[in-house]
């Protein structure tokens, strides 16, 4: 089946029930991340940037959790940056990246623009577009990983998912669609990801740039601009990434993050969460040393004394210290005044992070850590080799997803509004219009 035929023929009811559940869960998860991030400095700055530089024209989208009207390209920039600014969104092993933080805000921008022009989009149609965007974005990421010499940020591939989902919402012709794919790939942000791991900043995983690239490509192709063929879709040597489209679902292999920090830090957080439960005597007052053995990429995070929220979320030591000190890691533990919390910093100083050859050998198929904690009374506890919570093999329950949603979104949204958002998402398969959800998100 051609890619164009696939994106135009898929209905949400065609998708296996398990995958449908993952799509609606992913949508709730990303919205929760954006709600939790909306008051942070990055999110405020990027919304002001979008309002200043991408004013609404005949096309208008509202900024998420803000309400100001901007051009959809500005809304995509802002939404992607916001989702990326709180590092709690889902990810995917074989692409070594993420799709949702790009495709969800971009499709919300496109759908809201359609809504403003009087075109109603049903909940099932929006979910079909989200499904297409995730599935094709992740496959483009696998193709990029298979062909590129360097490890690129997620925005380098996820814009192609925006094109696939957006083309469905915009009823594009096949010629327009193929040009949009080529434009999105050609202008895709091939950002060197490890530079951001070593030098964290607000640029993060380039989700804002990927969302912009995808939306921009759709509008350029609609205006008659041509693009070269998208290599990550059309090259013979990557056909294996696409030949079972519609038969196997790449999104089924996604992982989810319980905490808003880099995935490579999450195995250690998972291990210590279990240790805190099993050994309640562990606290910031009793700990004298913490030894983290982990794989090379995780070891490079370090992050004992972050200067800002970006460094805190791209670190390992600080969020681990926050978990030991406060018993949780949410937005309030990795942003704002927490960065200067004396008790967290005291524990962070006690953490030693080293590479373990046996764990490095199992990366990237597995991301694993082992933690040893020593206490003042001489007690010494060592975790087993631990896989991160939220992998397909260690899946989060729906109750855990809702608890995460409330932990993140509860920083900025009332319980009533959170309940209404979750109800609206659950109701999407049967709703004739997404307007109720949009109204809950766009102010």
């Amino acid at each position: 089946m051609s890619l164009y035929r696939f994106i135009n023929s898929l209905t949400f009811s065609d998708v296996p029930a398990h995958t449908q559940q993952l799509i609606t869960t992913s949508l709730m998860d990303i919205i929760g991340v954006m709600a939790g991030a909306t008051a942070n400095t990055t999110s405020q700055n990027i919304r002001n940037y979008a309002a200043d530089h991408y004013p609404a024209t005949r096309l208008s989208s509202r900024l998420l959790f803000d309400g100001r009207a901007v051009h959809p390209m500005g809304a995509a920039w802002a939404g992607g940056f916001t989702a990326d600014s709180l590092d709690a969104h889902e990810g995917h092993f074989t692409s070594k990246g993420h799709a949702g933080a790009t495709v969800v805000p971009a499709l919300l921008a496109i759908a809201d623009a359609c809504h403003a022009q009087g075109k109603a989009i049903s909940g099932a149609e929006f979910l079909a577009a989200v499904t297409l965007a995730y599935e094709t974005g992740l496959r483009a990421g696998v193709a990029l990983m298979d062909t590129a010499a360097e490890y690129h940020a997620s925005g380098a591939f996820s814009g192609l998912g925006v094109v696939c989902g957006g083309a469905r919402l915009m009823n594009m012709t096949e010629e327009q669609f193929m040009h949009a794919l080529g434009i999105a790939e050609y202008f895709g942000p091939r950002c060197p990801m490890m530079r951001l791991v070593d030098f964290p900043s607000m640029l993060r995983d380039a989700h804002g740039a990927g969302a912009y690239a995808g939306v921009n490509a759709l509008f350029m192709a609609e205006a008659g601009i041509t693009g070269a063929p998208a290599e990550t879709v059309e090259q013979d040597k990557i056909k294996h990434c696409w030949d079972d489209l519609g038969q196997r679902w790449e999104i089924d292999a996604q992982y989810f993050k319980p905490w808003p920090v880099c995935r490579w830090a999450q195995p250690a957080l998972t291990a210590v969460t279990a240790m805190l439960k099993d050994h309640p005597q562990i606290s910031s007052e009793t700990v004298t040393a913490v030894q983290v053995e982990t794989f090379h990429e995780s070891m490079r995070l370090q992050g004992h004394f972050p200067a800002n929220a970006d460094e805190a979320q791209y670190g390992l030591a600080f969020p681990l210290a926050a978990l030991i000190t406060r018993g949780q890691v949410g937005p309030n533990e990795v942003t704002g005044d927490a960065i200067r919390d004396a008790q967290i910093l005291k524990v962070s100083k006690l953490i030693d992070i080293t590479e373990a050859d046996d764990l490095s050998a199992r990366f990237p198929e597995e991301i694993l850590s082992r933690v040893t904690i020593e206490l003042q009374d001489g007690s010494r506890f060592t975790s087993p080799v631990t896989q991160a919570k939220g992998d397909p093999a260690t899946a989060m329950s729906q109750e855990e997803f809702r608890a995460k949603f409330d932990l993140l979104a509860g920083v900025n949204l009332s319980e009533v509004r959170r309940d209404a958002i979750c109800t609206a998402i659950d109701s999407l398969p049967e709703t004739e219009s997404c307007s109720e959800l949009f109204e809950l998100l766009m102010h």
Side-chain angles (χ1 to χ4, degrees):
M1 182 188 300
S2 73
L3 181 56
Y4 181 73
R5 182 181 171 192
F6 177 70
I7 70 164
N8 279 284
S9 63
L10 181 78
T11 65
F12 191 62
S13 60
D14 292 334
V15 179
H18 171 72
T19 306
Q20 288 184 28
Q21 182 69 65
L22 283 174
I23 291 293
T24 55
T25 298
S26 297
L27 181 58
M28 179 186 77
D29 197 59
I30 289 293
I31 288 173
V33 171
M34 291 189 289
T38 191
N40 70 35
T41 301
T42 299
S43 182
Q44 292 182 56
N45 288 352
I46 197 66
R47 293 199 310 274
N48 290 336
Y49 166 84
D52 287 344
H53 297 286
Y54 291 89
T57 58
R58 66 177 181 83
L59 294 176
S60 175
S61 299
R62 290 166 290 178
L63 292 170
L64 291 163
F65 302 109
D66 180 298
R68 282 178 287 178
V70 298
H71 191 277
M73 288 193 291
W77 261 124
F81 255 91
T82 293
D84 211 3
S85 70
L86 188 62
D87 201 358
H89 42 83
E90 91 295 303
H92 181 255
F93 290 113
T94 49
S95 66
K96 290 181 72 175
H98 319 261
T102 295
V103 303
V104 169
L107 293 183
L108 285 170
I110 293 170
D112 196 45
C114 292
H115 176 79
Q117 293 185 321
K119 178 185 176 182
I121 296 173
S122 72
E125 181 69 2
F126 183 70
L127 288 172
V130 172
T131 303
L132 291 164
Y134 265 102
E135 187 65 20
T136 56
L138 292 174
R139 287 173 182 261
V142 175
L144 182 63
M145 281 297 299
D146 283 358
T147 55
E150 191 170 10
Y151 173 27
H152 294 99
S154 297
F157 61 79
S158 53
L160 276 73
V162 174
V163 167
C164 291
R168 170 66 173 266
L169 296 177
M170 294 169 62
N171 299 316
M172 298 191 86
T173 68
E174 185 168 11
E175 182 179 13
Q176 290 173 326
F177 169 65
M178 297 308 294
H179 285 307
L181 281 177
I183 295 167
E185 184 186 81
Y186 190 74
F187 287 152
R190 292 288 183 98
C191 308
M193 189 62 219
M194 291 310 296
R195 187 182 304 173
L196 261 291
V197 172
D198 291 336
F199 302 99
S201 77
M202 292 181 182
L203 302 179
R204 299 292 183 99
D205 206 17
H207 287 290
Y212 173 87
V215 174
N216 177 61
L218 288 163
F219 291 145
M220 291 187 78
E222 191 177 49
I225 306 299
T226 61
E231 291 187 344
T232 51
V233 176
E234 298 195 48
Q235 281 189 109
D236 286 342
K237 62 183 177 181
I238 51 83
K239 282 186 176 179
H240 64 281
C241 298
W242 298 94
D243 58 9
D244 59 355
L245 193 64
Q247 302 168 37
R248 178 185 62 83
W249 295 90
E250 199 69 57
I251 192 174
D252 289 354
Q254 285 200 136
Y255 62 77
F256 292 86
K257 293 180 179 180
W259 305 284
V261 299
C262 179
R263 186 60 178 177
W264 296 342
Q266 305 244 345
L269 291 174
T270 303
V272 171
T273 297
M275 295 170 82
L276 290 171
K277 182 178 180 180
D278 293 340
H279 308 287
Q281 63 269 48
I282 296 173
S283 73
S284 60
E285 300 294 339
T286 60
V287 168
T288 57
V290 180
Q291 174 69 46
V292 179
E293 298 173 90
T294 192
F295 53 100
H296 174 77
E297 286 78 1
S298 178
M299 179 275 296
R300 283 175 65 173
L301 293 174
Q302 295 295 321
H304 290 74
F305 306 105
N308 50 53
D310 302 292
E311 291 185 8
Q313 293 173 59
Y314 267 102
L316 196 167
F318 186 85
L320 191 61
L323 177 61
I324 293 170
T325 302
R326 297 189 176 182
Q328 67 176 32
V329 182
N332 288 337
E333 281 67 54
V334 290
T335 62
D337 292 341
I339 307 303
R340 294 174 293 279
D341 185 285
Q343 195 69 9
I344 296 175
L345 292 170
K346 184 191 83 168
V347 176
S348 186
K349 187 176 181 180
L350 302 175
I351 297 174
D352 184 38
I353 304 169
T354 59
E355 180 179 358
D357 291 341
D358 61 324
L359 304 186
S360 288
R362 296 165 69 175
F363 179 81
E365 287 76 17
E366 299 174 277
I367 59 169
L368 306 165
S369 295
R370 184 170 46 231
V371 180
T372 298
I373 295 177
E374 297 180 10
L375 305 183
Q376 290 173 346
D377 64 5
S379 301
R380 191 172 188 270
F381 307 106
T382 299
S383 75
V385 172
T386 301
Q387 183 178 1
K389 178 71 174 176
D391 291 354
T394 58
M396 295 168 63
S397 67
Q398 288 303 305
E399 292 76 14
E400 288 172 322
F401 278 117
R402 180 56 199 259
K404 174 189 171 182
F405 180 86
D406 287 332
L407 175 65
L408 302 186
V411 173
N412 296 306
L413 303 185
S414 69
E415 182 178 359
V416 170
R417 190 173 178 187
R418 298 197 306 271
D419 287 344
I421 289 171
C422 290
T423 299
I425 293 170
D426 289 341
S427 302
L428 282 176
E430 292 80 37
T431 57
E432 294 183 1
S433 172
C434 295
S435 59
E436 181 180 354
L437 176 61
F438 293 171
E439 293 307 312
L440 288 165
L441 302 182
M442 303 298 181
H443 66 272

